[in-house]
Amino acid sequence: MSKLQLQGRVILVTGGAGFLASQFIPELEAEGAVVEVLDINGDRPVDIVNAEEVRARVAEILATHSKIDGFVHAAAINPTPGSGTPQFSPYEDFPIELWKAEFDVNLTSAQIVMQAISPHLKKSMRGSVVFISSDLGLIAPNNSIYEPGKFKDIAYVSSKAGLLGLMRGWASYLGPYGVRVNALVPGGMENGHAKDFLEKNGKLNMLGRMARPGEYNAAITFLLSESSTYMTGSSLVIDGGRTAW
């Protein structure tokens, strides 16, 4: 029996229809997990910034499965460079309405889900939570890789840093109940980027490239599994060595 198996575990995933989650959900299911997606674009739409909708969906999941074993917060607003969206505006011009919307999805929704599931996790005295942050939650963006006049989304950078604080707070709070809370800190991943952007981004890390689809899947499984039972309040950094330079 592989220690990585998640047989029978019920795992909640926000942003399940998104770029990263759509990669690792099949792997979690292959390891035996039952994955319940919380996503406004999912089969069972849930607005994760609406506390009432989240609580109602969590209650349904508990009524169906009688437990929740894990939670992965993968929801994020993070447009691809060159997409022409206002997220790449100069920071003094960044729309406050957009700032609030991104913080709601990237950060506040994680708190909303944690408030909904923590009473059950405390009662069960077990469980694992993973917040997906970013290398830009640890370091500043290198804006030289973007087109002139374009800058990495300041709300993304700030909210991903905030997730690390939220992770540590919940890890401390839930530690006495045997519940672990960690963060995955990934670097950028190839997602239809222009060739020149891929080359510029690759030069920022030791491996000379962006991550390829699927390269974070095993890390998510590890953090949810029995292989990481003594790990909590920690950040697992997988960024090609970018933050080590």
Side-chain angles (χ1 to χ4, degrees):
M1 293 281 288
S2 167
K3 272 193 169 185
L4 293 179
Q5 285 192 337
L6 299 171
Q7 191 65 42
R9 303 283 178 86
V10 178
I11 309 295
L12 274 56
V13 178
T14 59
F19 179 60
L20 281 181
S22 62
Q23 296 171 43
F24 63 72
I25 285 175
E27 178 151 325
L28 297 181
E29 292 176 334
E31 292 284 355
V34 175
V35 178
E36 292 284 0
V37 172
L38 303 181
D39 194 311
I40 201 164
N41 297 314
D43 294 335
R44 299 282 298 277
V46 178
D47 183 355
I48 58 173
V49 303
N50 184 309
E52 288 186 11
E53 285 192 29
V54 170
R55 284 195 298 267
R57 184 68 187 114
V58 167
E60 289 178 359
I61 292 168
L62 287 171
T64 300
H65 302 291
S66 301
K67 64 174 185 171
I68 292 172
D69 300 297
F71 165 45
V72 181
H73 178 61
I77 297 175
N78 184 28
T80 302
S83 58
T85 61
Q87 274 95 336
F88 295 94
S89 300
Y91 294 167
E92 61 267 29
D93 300 326
F94 196 93
I96 291 300
E97 295 76 16
L98 184 56
W99 169 278
K100 293 176 180 178
E102 288 197 45
F103 263 77
D104 277 350
V105 172
N106 298 4
L107 180 59
T108 304
S109 64
Q111 170 70 356
I112 288 173
V113 176
M114 288 302 295
Q115 288 183 322
I117 67 174
S118 60
H120 171 76
L121 295 177
K122 289 165 69 175
K123 200 175 296 183
S124 63
M125 296 293 289
R126 64 186 304 275
S128 179
V129 174
V130 182
F131 294 157
I132 299 183
S133 181
S134 166
D135 55 356
L136 297 181
L138 297 174
I139 59 174
N142 186 330
N143 287 312
S144 69
I145 66 177
Y146 302 103
E147 298 173 9
K150 303 294 183 182
F151 306 87
K152 180 60 185 178
D153 182 345
I154 187 61
Y156 179 84
V157 173
S158 303
S159 58
K160 288 297 186 177
L163 268 180
L164 297 178
L166 188 69
M167 173 272 290
R168 289 188 287 266
W170 276 104
S172 176
Y173 181 71
L174 293 176
Y177 301 92
V179 179
R180 300 181 298 109
V181 187
N182 294 291
L184 174 67
V185 181
M189 178 175 280
E190 296 176 9
N191 183 22
H193 298 92
K195 184 179 178 181
D196 65 331
F197 181 83
L198 290 173
E199 292 174 353
K200 289 177 182 178
N201 199 303
K203 290 177 181 178
L204 299 179
N205 68 58
M206 297 174 185
L207 296 181
R209 64 174 177 84
M210 296 182 76
R212 297 172 184 135
E215 287 195 298
Y216 299 130
N217 293 357
I220 295 289
T221 303
F222 166 75
L223 291 171
L224 291 170
S225 76
E226 297 302 306
S227 290
S228 57
T229 50
Y230 198 56
M231 182 177 179
T232 196
S234 297
S235 299
L236 179 57
V237 181
I238 305 179
D239 65 352
R242 180 177 180 179
T243 56
W245 257 344

